[in-house]
Amino acid sequence: MPRKYPLQNIRNIGIMAHIDAGKTTTTERILYYTGKIYKIGEVHNGEATMDWMDQEKERGITITSAATTCFWKEHRINIIDTPGHVDFTAEVERSLRILDGAIAIFCAVGGVESQTETVWRQADGYKIPRLAFINKMDRVGANFFEVVKEMEERLGTTPLLIQIPIGEEEGFNGVLDLVRMKRVVFQEENYGVTFHEEEVDEALKEEAAEYHEKLIEKLGEKDEDILSAYVHSEEVSEEKLKAVIRKLTIENKIVPVLCGSSLKNKGVQLLLNAVVDYLPSPLDIPPVEGINPKSSKEEKRLVSDKEPFAALVFKISSDPYVGKLIFFRVYSGHLKVGSFVWNANSGTKERVGRILQMHANKREEREEIFCGDIAATLGLKEVRTGDTLCLPEHPIVLEAMHFPEPVISLAIEPKTKADRDKLNSALNKLSEEDPTFKISTDSETEQTIISGMGQLHLEILKERMIREFGVDANVGKPQVSYRETITKGVESEGKFIRQTGGHGQYGHVLLKLEPLESGMGLEFVNKIKGGVIPQEFIPAVKKGVEEAAEGGVLAGYPVTDLKVILKDGSFHEVDSSELAFRLAASIAFKDGVKKAIPFLLEPIMSIEIVTPEEYVGEVLGNFNSKRGMIEWIKERKGIKVIRGFVPLAEMFGYATSLRSLTQGRGTYTMEPSHYARVPEDIAAKIIK
């Protein structure tokens, strides 16, 4: 089958923002205007197409990133609607990894909020070109220019106003298009489906001319042709302006800014036009790079259907009707139903039984997919998030995704014996889906421990076990994921020598332990010279160190932020074995950590609290009592925004106490920031 849409007419975009900025509402309008759906579903009524899970409908939030495809002006637009809540940051991370462009949505009242900063930094990491859409312009307190100012200050970006609002709050009734110099007015009586463009009237002419000149001036700073036209007071054509805006957007030098009100159906079609005009197609993105597992050399895959097939698995989902759904992005080549793919990470070859085009939780069969497509398949067994699918004769491993470590844990056990196997099966399926959800077993109590990114994260996973997998379980209280580290550098020796009737065991190592900076993890360095320990035993020493680091000497928490140097040792021609060296390394590591004055680390959260002014005193007093540190306090129209850092251990139940302090009007968001030393008095209680 030939491809229907040429590569230059494809857009792979994500919609990202802080919780409650209007991502899902905007996506719903996009689907309505592109003819993908025929009735607008509202998030607050639990009817939004993209929020299809029961928990999403009940809570009015997005939990899982949903993919869909729509068409606008002869362009195919693949959209991923991502969650805004920090507990589901992995969903944003994996979506951004495979997208070419993004729409960042800002609330015209809330401005740049904490989670906006987080997703913006994630997008910066992947160098993703963005458009900014300032939503909720009809809300009381909306301030378009204040949000633009915050974008510059807090995100360090260069916003380019290609629209400005006509009126604000209740008086918002349209936009000035600064590229085309037109006034755009939306018809409220038919959901904004129709709108009309007018010449800019006398009342707005001066303002429009001023901002049009600012647009030219800003583009002139980054483009010589525009600068020359600006200096010589020449008119720049609409086509030239669009071409330069597109080029600078793709180069991440500017972020075009649009505005509207998705709930009131204003501005969404113009946003779609901007996606087509300014965001990149797969052809505008550099070719994907990877490592050939056979030759260990770097290789590139050009953006073409004729190149060998290469795709990245970015999401795995358990569907109650069809089983394991594997979502992937095709970077090169094409794939037909019935063909074989090679998983370059696991080294397995599997047949592709079905290819599906997803629309939230609905599916459409495809016979063949092409370069630049985002699709799903069924039936692949040995696949994990981040794996590369390719052709057996052209293997390549693309760069995988990196996910944050969980910060909160709790014990879980089945309510009945019959639930035990079902619980294990459900946990394994959920951990396959979610790379930030970890399962482990407590070696002392034999309890199953589940770990995640926050209370809401674990709460929703527990609900999913009950609803989707029919498992009921008892859950313990949340526990903080502490870490242990060392204060000073030491040397330590480990020997494991056993003499028996036949072969004995002999392993002997000398390790040097050195503290590292916070967040550096565990580093192993081999400095053995002259073969005092044979090369084949070095991996066993490393494994022994890593196993010993899983449980520290103070309270059994993982040991981190230290360098372990293998300096010396000895071996026995007959009795030395991998087991002996593994155990010797473990003994030396534990002994060294004891001598290096270990201490506890705790997760510190970055927090942003929004409270009405009259409650600031009580909120700050309560925050200080939780060992909180204030970074700054800002004012926004009758409310105060407090940004700071606070230990996670102090924050259980904070939502309830903040509500009671502010009569239900205060809100907060927090996300993991870093690990810091636990004060002595508190550490003493934990170690007990």
Side-chain angles (χ1 to χ4, degrees), residues 130-180:
R130 276 147 276 179
L131 299 175
F133 182 67
I134 298 177
N135 190 25
K136 305 191 180 184
M137 285 303 305
D138 58 316
R139 286 263 306 273
V140 174
N143 189 331
F144 175 81
F145 295 103
E146 184 62 32
V147 179
V148 173
K149 187 176 154 198
E150 280 192 16
M151 283 175 68
E152 284 185 280
E153 290 173 359
R154 289 182 64 175
L155 304 177
T157 190
T158 306
L160 181 81
L161 305 189
I162 59 171
Q163 290 178 357
I164 56 170
I166 301 172
E168 277 183 348
E169 302 184 349
E170 282 184 11
F172 174 67
N173 64 5
V175 298
L176 276 176
D177 184 332
L178 299 173
V179 176
R180 303 174 64 233

Side-chain angles (χ1 to χ4, degrees), residues 599 677-685:
F599 60 87
R677 187 167 186 164
V678 180
E680 296 289 327
D681 55 330
I682 293 166
K685 292 175 191 169

Side-chain angles (χ1 to χ4, degrees), residues 210-489:
E210 179 194 341
Y211 280 99
H212 181 70
E213 189 168 328
K214 284 182 180 175
L215 170 89
I216 305 281
E217 192 181 329
K218 202 163 235 183
L219 290 175
E221 289 170 12
K222 299 177 188 297
D223 184 88
E224 287 189 10
D225 291 351
I226 300 280
L227 178 63
S228 171
Y230 178 67
V231 169
H232 295 101
S233 302
E234 293 169 6
E235 195 63 43
V236 184
S237 70
E238 182 189 323
E239 287 70 30
K240 178 67 179 170
L241 274 180
K242 283 185 174 178
V244 173
I245 294 170
R246 177 180 175 80
K247 175 177 167 287
L248 294 174
T249 303
I250 291 169
E251 290 171 359
N252 265 312
K253 290 180 178 170
I254 57 164
V255 175
V257 180
L258 301 91
C259 61
S261 167
S262 296
L263 190 64
K264 295 290 170 65
N265 316 299
K266 293 175 182 176
V268 179
Q269 296 100 317
L270 303 185
L271 179 63
L272 277 165
N273 290 346
V275 167
V276 166
D277 289 341
Y278 307 126
L279 286 183
S281 75
L283 290 169
D284 298 310
I285 300 298
V288 71
E289 294 180 1
I291 304 287
N292 184 322
K294 290 180 180 174
S295 65
S296 298
K297 288 182 180 171
E298 276 197 13
E299 287 187 8
K300 283 185 180 180
R301 289 282 192 270
L302 300 177
V303 182
S304 165
D305 296 338
K306 293 174 183 171
E307 283 275 294
F309 174 74
L312 186 74
V313 174
F314 69 94
K315 181 177 165 76
I316 292 170
S317 170
S318 296
D319 188 294
Y321 302 107
V322 294
K324 193 157 90 172
L325 266 175
I326 289 110
F327 289 77
F328 59 95
R329 155 79 192 262
V330 184
Y331 281 101
S332 64
H334 61 105
L335 182 70
K336 286 184 177 177
V337 169
S339 51
F340 285 89
V341 290
W342 176 260
N343 183 333
N345 298 78
S346 65
T348 53
K349 185 178 172 183
E350 297 191 68
R351 185 175 173 275
V352 175
R354 289 165 72 190
I355 297 173
L356 307 169
Q357 190 76 60
M358 299 302 293
H359 175 53
N361 63 333
K362 297 182 174 63
R363 299 168 290 275
E364 183 188 317
E365 298 279 347
R366 292 271 303 269
E367 284 302 309
E368 187 175 9
I369 49 161
F370 300 92
C371 179
D373 282 348
I374 294 173
T377 184
L378 295 165
L380 303 187
K381 294 180 178 66
E382 303 292 320
V383 176
R384 299 193 77 79
T385 299
D387 284 358
T388 303
L389 303 178
C390 54
L391 298 178
E393 57 272 24
H394 296 284
I396 189 169
V397 178
L398 303 177
E399 186 189 348
M401 290 155 268
H402 304 287
F403 298 105
E405 285 297 308
V407 293
I408 187 169
S409 305
L410 46 83
I412 187 166
E413 58 184 33
K415 280 198 170 170
T416 64
K417 278 186 179 178
D419 276 331
R420 183 170 290 135
D421 290 341
K422 279 162 73 180
L423 175 68
N424 289 336
S425 169
L427 289 176
N428 287 329
K429 281 180 179 171
L430 290 171
S431 73
E432 262 186 1
E433 279 188 34
D434 186 346
T436 58
F437 176 57
K438 300 276 168 67
I439 311 157
S440 58
T441 305
D442 187 307
S443 53
E444 291 180 11
T445 62
E446 295 296 316
Q447 280 183 307
T448 300
I449 308 293
I450 57 173
S451 308
M453 298 306 296
Q455 278 178 284
L456 180 65
H457 187 201
L458 294 181
E459 203 178 292
I460 281 167
L461 287 168
K462 188 197 171 197
E463 280 180 22
R464 286 189 64 194
M465 282 193 300
I466 295 168
R467 294 181 187 197
E468 291 175 34
F469 301 100
V471 182
D472 212 352
N474 295 319
V475 175
K477 284 184 177 175
Q479 301 292 319
V480 175
S481 296
Y482 291 99
R483 297 280 185 271
E484 298 180 20
T485 192
I486 59 173
T487 308
K488 63 173 189 172

